Amino acid sequence: MSASVTPPRVGVWLIGARGSVATTVVAGCAAVTAGLHPSTGLVTETPAFADSGLPPLSSLVFGGHDTVDCPLPKRAEALAAGGVLPPGLPAAVAAELAAADREIRPGGPAPGETRSENELIAAFAADMEDFVRRCGLTRAVVVNVASTEPAPTGGALPPSSLYAAAALRAGCPYVNFTPSTGLHHPALAAPAAASGLPYAGRDGKTGQTLLRAVLAPMFVQRALTVRAWSGSNLLGGGDGAALADPAAAAAKNAGKERVLTDILGTAPEGEVHIDDVPALGDWKTAWDHIAFDGFLGTRMILQTIWQGCDSALAAPLVLDLARLTARAHEVGVAGPLAELGFYFKDPVGEGPAALGEQYEALLGLAGRLGRGWGR
């Protein structure tokens, strides 16, 4: 009998590594790998991706940057107390959480920061490079899961763009799971194009916009006229606090509005409102009110309510994206991964906006990755 071959280890470097999403990513990966829980929500664990050559979940090694110092095991205990993680899971995967926590480095810029932008980028890149070298990794994917920041108003690089620039400098593929600027900053367009690295984003599609990407095509395909589409979000946790800032909320809502405009061909009346309700913790409620016209101008209404746990919705998508982007890097893909639009509100590159068409594009990517892309 031939000896089993250990797959190469692949890094996942999380920006916001001690937040709710990142903690759920690490704990969830360990739980699925150990057979403690099924792979529910992981698209890359479905049969369509079995031959895509993706790195196994067991090969992933986690680290990252954060500006807070609450250890991952303690953060996981808090999430379990809030019902985000199953009872007993933090204890069951305590070793994996502690191992990831040892790989988390201080982020920035800190209050009163004196380092220049270039010095910060160099320091962040050095952390990423050291992670790859010390852990014996073949590559590492940088994934931004930090709290939403306001859109920049001047020429300075916002924190998300400093980390994105560091990823480019460290030779790491980059995924922006947030609405923050990241690689979208004009100053990073040329470095991203010259890097030869794959990248994807932005703003993970986990709830309200996921439904919009399904429902909007229905109205178009049935030739029903949408007159107005309004929405409201109630959420707590770190994201709720961050989105209480009107500028951050505006950055978030831009992606939600783009989905409707791209699918319907016009922007319907109505807005999305985001309310911070700290008592909800990591849980959110999204409500949509859709006014549309039917045959002979008959006026009708559809209302939807989505209640879910943001971290549990986001974590499997982060794992999917890390695996897909790592494989794309392995086979030599460069530039925007438009086929990953299935996961985002405001995807990079050219591609469809309807979820069904995005899924077909994703399956096409899975096939090409399995063939080694160019073959």
Side-chain angles (χ1 to χ4, degrees):
M1 180 181 295
S2 61
S4 60
V5 177
T6 302
R9 288 162 33 109
V10 172
V12 182
W13 188 263
L14 300 164
I15 309 304
R18 290 192 170 111
S20 297
V21 173
T23 305
T24 307
V25 166
V26 176
C29 184
V32 174
T33 297
L36 301 176
H37 289 272
S39 58
T40 305
L42 277 164
V43 178
T44 51
E45 283 294 290
T46 60
F49 295 83
D51 297 322
S52 296
L54 304 182
L57 292 172
S58 59
S59 73
L60 301 182
V61 181
F62 296 96
H65 282 114
D66 209 321
T67 57
V68 302
D69 56 9
C70 178
L72 279 182
K74 183 176 288 292
R75 181 65 176 146
E77 290 172 2
L79 291 177
V84 177
L85 297 179
L89 183 61
V93 298
E96 290 87 346
L97 289 166
D101 194 69
R102 288 193 293 271
E103 298 298 337
I104 298 176
R105 301 294 179 263
E113 181 67 69
T114 59
R115 289 174 293 179
S116 68
E117 287 184 352
N118 191 57
E119 289 173 329
L120 285 166
I121 292 169
F124 296 155
D127 289 337
M128 297 169 188
E129 291 167 344
D130 181 60
F131 173 62
V132 172
R133 182 173 55 254
R134 283 186 306 96
C135 296
L137 309 176
T138 57
R139 70 196 81 252
V141 178
V142 175
V143 186
N144 182 18
V145 290
S147 296
T148 301
E149 66 188 17
T153 55
L157 293 178
S160 65
S161 296
L162 295 174
Y163 290 118
L168 297 180
R169 188 172 298 188
C172 296
Y174 175 81
V175 177
N176 188 2
F177 200 74
T178 80
S180 301
T181 303
L183 277 183
H184 274 66
H185 196 283
L188 299 185
S195 69
L197 295 167
Y199 55 90
R202 67 182 166 170
D203 199 3
K205 187 162 56 189
T206 60
Q208 184 178 48
T209 311
L210 181 67
L211 281 181
R212 289 180 167 207
V214 174
L215 292 174
M218 175 192 72
F219 288 105
V220 173
Q221 291 159 5
R222 282 297 181 93
L224 300 170
T225 302
V226 175
R227 293 186 293 108
W229 198 314
S230 301
S232 182
N233 283 263
L234 309 177
L235 69 162
D239 212 21
L243 293 174
D245 179 347
K252 183 81 170 178
N253 285 337
K256 292 177 180 287
E257 294 166 358
R258 175 183 168 179
V259 169
L260 292 181
T261 301
D262 286 352
I263 296 174
L264 299 175
T266 184
E269 294 180 7
E271 297 178 348
V272 176
H273 298 275
I274 299 176
D275 293 327
D276 177 27
V277 185
L280 292 179
D282 281 276
W283 300 82
K284 67 179 180 181
T285 296
W287 169 75
D288 270 18
H289 184 282
I290 308 159
F292 65 99
D293 289 345
F295 191 50
L296 304 179
T298 305
R299 295 198 163 189
M300 292 175 270
I301 288 172
L302 170 65
Q303 296 186 51
T304 66
I305 298 176
W306 175 284
Q307 294 178 305
C309 174
D310 210 31
S311 298
L313 289 165
L317 308 188
V318 172
L319 289 169
D320 280 349
L321 287 162
R323 299 173 78 193
L324 289 161
T325 308
R327 175 59 175 164
H329 186 227
E330 180 183 7
V331 299
V333 180
L337 291 171
E339 296 91 343
L340 297 185
F342 175 76
Y343 293 99
F344 298 106
K345 298 182 183 73
D346 188 18
V348 297
E350 296 296 326
L355 192 71
E357 295 175 35
Q358 290 177 331
Y359 181 65
E360 291 302 318
L362 179 64
L363 293 182
L365 172 67
R368 291 194 295 279
L369 292 178
R371 295 190 296 272
W373 195 259
R375 294 192 292 274

